[in-house]
Amino acid sequence: GTYRCRLEKNSFSYQAYGKSVVCERHRHRYEFNNKYRQILAQKGLRATGIFPEKNLVEILEIPDHPWFVAVQFHPEFQSRPAYPHPLFKDFIKAAMK
């Protein structure tokens, strides 16, 4: 299934997509446990992509890292050799620096 994801403007993900709302596909029913959201935020892990209908974390980032992005969805479902997914493209750019 496809889910909407709202991105924080000051994030690696927003920079990669160039927009504030994206749709991504899932192939599981796993969810981030929001009980740990504040604790992880205090340790530097920031929730930058949220499924707004249920306030579920879709994307986590470490802002102080050169490029750390963790996602709940499968970006490879929308990636093709000649048209890589925006997150893959930005990851490669960051790795080349």
Side-chain angles (χ1 to χ4, degrees):
T2 300
Y3 289 89
R4 287 183 336 112
C5 181
R6 187 184 67 242
L7 305 175
E8 284 190 11
K9 289 197 176 190
N10 187 23
S11 68
F12 296 124
S13 302
Y14 181 87
Q15 181 180 342
Y17 286 100
K19 53 187 170 180
S20 58
V21 177
V22 297
C23 292
E24 291 290 352
R25 291 181 54 200
H26 293 70
R27 296 289 286 183
H28 59 75
R29 301 251 185 232
Y30 300 119
E31 294 178 357
F32 180 87
N33 189 336
N34 278 325
K35 289 193 304 187
Y36 299 100
R37 192 168 167 181
Q38 186 61 35
I39 295 166
L40 292 170
Q42 291 169 353
K43 302 296 182 186
L45 195 61
R46 195 170 112 205
T48 59
I50 303 295
F51 172 49
E53 285 78 8
K54 293 190 176 183
N55 194 34
L56 293 175
V57 175
E58 294 289 320
I59 302 174
L60 290 169
E61 299 183 8
I62 299 176
D64 295 336
H65 189 276
W67 200 91
F68 181 99
V69 177
V71 300
Q72 279 282 75
F73 50 85
H74 293 274
E76 69 274 15
F77 290 160
Q78 294 188 28
S79 198
R80 302 292 177 262
Y83 304 100
H85 189 280
L87 292 177
F88 292 156
K89 205 159 70 172
D90 266 28
F91 171 68
I92 298 298
K93 283 181 194 175
M96 290 173 61
K97 288 182 185 176

